[in-house]
Amino acid sequence: MFLETLFMFVKVFAVGGGICVVAQLLINYTKITAGKILVYFLLAGVLLQAVGVYQYLVDFAGAGATVPICGFGYLLADGAIKGAKESLFKAITGGITSAAMGITAAIVFGYIFSLIFKSKSKKN
């Protein structure tokens, strides 16, 4: 039992950390902006799920594959694919439906932290 749990943590850390390492290398060694890297990773999650590859990564690594931004792309694509089996409308709304909890958490916690902390501009 302990070894299974430990192995699960290792898999999650390795996959999630690997995704973050790739992003950090892109930030350090290319002139691609952080915003573009986020969009590329999100689109990579969508495309990998569209061809059926990302689900294997999620099954293997769990949160290590779903927590990074490419996991959000995976959720959007997965919801749209499942919704498309029912109707065109559900294909359009399925992605947002599947990611609703994460979107709601981001909005709620963003609002709470905006009340707690005061924003400051960077001084160059």
Side-chain angles (χ1 to χ4, degrees):
M1 178 76 170
F2 174 75
L3 289 177
E4 290 176 15
T5 304
L6 182 64
F7 185 61
M8 179 187 63
F9 281 120
V10 170
K11 290 190 303 186
V12 168
F13 180 77
V15 171
I19 292 169
C20 294
V21 164
V22 170
Q24 190 63 51
L25 290 172
L26 289 171
I27 289 170
N28 289 349
Y29 297 111
T30 68
K31 294 185 184 225
I32 304 172
T33 63
K36 286 183 180 180
I37 292 170
L38 286 171
V39 171
Y40 294 152
F41 272 59
L42 183 116
L43 290 175
V46 170
L47 292 173
L48 289 172
Q49 179 59 19
V51 297
V53 174
Y54 206 83
Q55 185 64 49
Y56 294 114
L57 190 60
V58 170
D59 292 341
F60 175 73
T66 58
V67 170
I69 191 70
C70 51
F72 183 68
Y74 151 77
L75 274 177
L76 292 174
D78 189 52
I81 291 168
K82 288 178 182 173
K85 294 176 182 174
E86 295 182 34
S87 69
L88 177 62
F89 180 73
K90 293 215 178 187
I92 296 169
T93 61
I96 300 298
T97 302
S98 68
M101 187 186 316
I103 294 169
T104 303
I107 292 169
V108 168
F109 287 115
Y111 178 70
I112 290 170
F113 284 107
S114 74
L115 295 175
I116 296 171
F117 300 102
K118 301 293 181 213
S119 63
K120 298 176 188 173
S121 61
K122 284 186 171 181
K123 294 180 182 179
N124 294 329

